[in-house]
């Protein structure tokens, strides 16, 4: 399904959020917050087995839950313009994933 960040279910607000790319795809995990601040992309999410950040320039960031430990619920990755765009993927213990749109430097700087 597609999770849309709209103020309410009014058609114009949902359409506006879709046009702005304020959404993500998921078959389980939830992304509660995602923002870029001070050169880092911050994400909070439902309990996850791993959270990865894939960049355009063949760079990757990842945070994994410790075996038998607490799941990942928040993480920060570098958001360097020289890395190009990035996408975040959240994977839970059942293998379900949530995937963001691509975020381009010109949109978050």
């Amino acid at each position: 399904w597609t999770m849309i960040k709209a103020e309410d279910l009014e058609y114009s607000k949902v359409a506006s959020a879709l046009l702005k790319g304020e959404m993500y795809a998921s078959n389980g995990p939830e992304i509660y917050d995602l923002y870029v601040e001070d050169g880092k992309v911050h994400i909070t999410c439902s309990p996850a087995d791993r959270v990865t950040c894939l960049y355009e320039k063949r760079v990757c960031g990842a945070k994994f839950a410790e075996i038998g430990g607490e799941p990942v619920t928040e993480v920060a990755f570098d958001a360097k313009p020289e890395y190009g765009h990035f996408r975040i993927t959240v994977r839970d213990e059942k293998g379900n994933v949530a995937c963001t749109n691509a975020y381009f430097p010109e949109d978050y700087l």
Side-chain angles (χ1 to χ4, degrees):
W1 58 83
T2 302
M3 297 294 290
I4 302 167
K5 185 180 179 181
E7 293 176 31
D8 56 48
L9 292 177
E10 183 180 311
Y11 178 83
S12 63
K13 292 180 181 175
V14 171
S16 177
L18 287 169
L19 289 171
K20 292 178 191 174
E22 295 177 345
M23 61 191 168
Y24 66 93
S26 180
N27 66 354
E30 293 180 78
I31 297 172
Y32 303 132
D33 200 11
L34 187 148
Y35 62 95
V36 176
E37 184 177 79
D38 297 328
K40 300 276 187 186
V41 56
H42 301 265
I43 185 168
T44 57
C45 59
S46 58
D49 187 51
R50 72 184 83 162
V51 179
T52 57
C53 184
L54 300 174
Y55 302 92
E56 175 184 8
K57 302 296 181 183
R58 302 190 81 176
V59 178
C60 178
K63 183 170 182 181
F64 296 88
E66 296 286 329
I67 295 174
E70 295 295 315
V72 178
T73 56
E74 62 181 288
V75 64
F77 298 109
D78 288 330
K80 297 181 180 180
E82 60 267 24
Y83 288 175
H85 67 268
F86 66 83
R87 297 173 191 268
I88 304 286
T89 302
V90 177
R91 183 181 177 107
D92 68 16
E93 66 180 7
K94 296 177 184 173
N96 298 316
V97 296
C99 301
T100 70
N101 293 316
Y103 290 89
F104 294 86
E106 59 267 22
D107 296 331
Y108 64 79
L109 291 178

